[in-house]
Amino acid sequence: MYSFIVFIHVLIAVSLGGFLAYPFIWNSYVSQLNKEILVVPKVIMNYIRFGHYALVLLLFSGACLVIYYSTSPSVFWVVIAIALLVLIGGLLGMIHKKLKGINLGGFSDKELIVKLLSLKRDSIIMSLLILVAIFIMTNRSLFS
């Protein structure tokens, strides 16, 4: 059972690695602003919805690994891990809300660029948080 939970945990973590590409997506999206590209926000919104479910499963599988199959991790490590997952989920929610607003339309090009730059900033922060989470999760012994 341990191998199955680890497999699920790693599979979900790898699938969340797709969010590391978001800052680059917004660069290309801003450069092609003159074209009507309405499919991109819809696809990203669906992937963000998947990301929320994946974060819940990641938290659940990580809790199972810590509770049932691990020596007692430090409380500091557990708090940091949970806080990072909550922050990543919050940023996903913020990006999703902004994308819904962009998808509704009705903005001038200048307003749209400001909103896209805000999305780019949020996605950079989220990418950095994901990288920090990967470092924290793979180096648990640093927090003992």
Side-chain angles (χ1 to χ4, degrees):
M1 188 68 169
Y2 173 77
S3 298
F4 177 72
I5 294 174
V6 169
F7 174 75
I8 295 296
H9 191 74
V10 170
L11 184 68
I12 294 168
V14 168
S15 69
L16 287 176
F19 289 112
L20 295 174
Y22 270 30
F24 305 109
I25 291 172
W26 299 125
N27 277 341
S28 66
Y29 195 67
V30 170
S31 68
Q32 298 176 2
L33 189 61
N34 56 358
K35 299 176 185 174
E36 292 288 316
I37 305 175
L38 296 176
V39 176
V40 174
K42 291 179 183 178
V43 170
I44 292 174
M45 285 171 41
N46 288 333
Y47 190 63
I48 287 175
R49 187 173 316 248
F50 163 76
H52 278 117
Y53 294 132
L55 279 173
V56 170
L57 287 173
L58 193 66
L59 187 61
F60 180 71
S61 64
C64 288
L65 288 172
V66 166
I67 291 171
Y68 296 117
Y69 298 108
S70 177
T71 59
S72 298
S74 70
V75 174
F76 184 57
W77 180 82
V78 171
V79 168
I80 289 175
I82 292 172
L84 282 171
L85 290 178
V86 168
L87 286 172
I88 291 168
L91 279 168
L92 280 175
M94 288 171 49
I95 290 171
H96 192 263
K97 183 177 180 182
K98 290 177 184 178
L99 279 173
K100 274 186 180 177
I102 288 173
N103 209 17
L104 293 176
F107 299 113
S108 68
D109 284 348
K110 190 173 185 177
E111 291 173 334
L112 190 58
I113 288 175
V114 169
K115 290 194 178 290
L116 288 173
L117 290 175
S118 171
L119 279 170
K120 182 180 175 187
R121 182 198 63 223
D122 290 346
S123 65
I124 289 171
I125 293 170
M126 185 178 59
S127 296
L128 291 174
L129 285 175
I130 289 172
L131 290 174
V132 168
I134 290 169
F135 177 77
I136 299 264
M137 300 303 165
T138 56
N139 295 303
R140 191 176 90 171
S141 61
L142 294 175
F143 300 95
S144 299

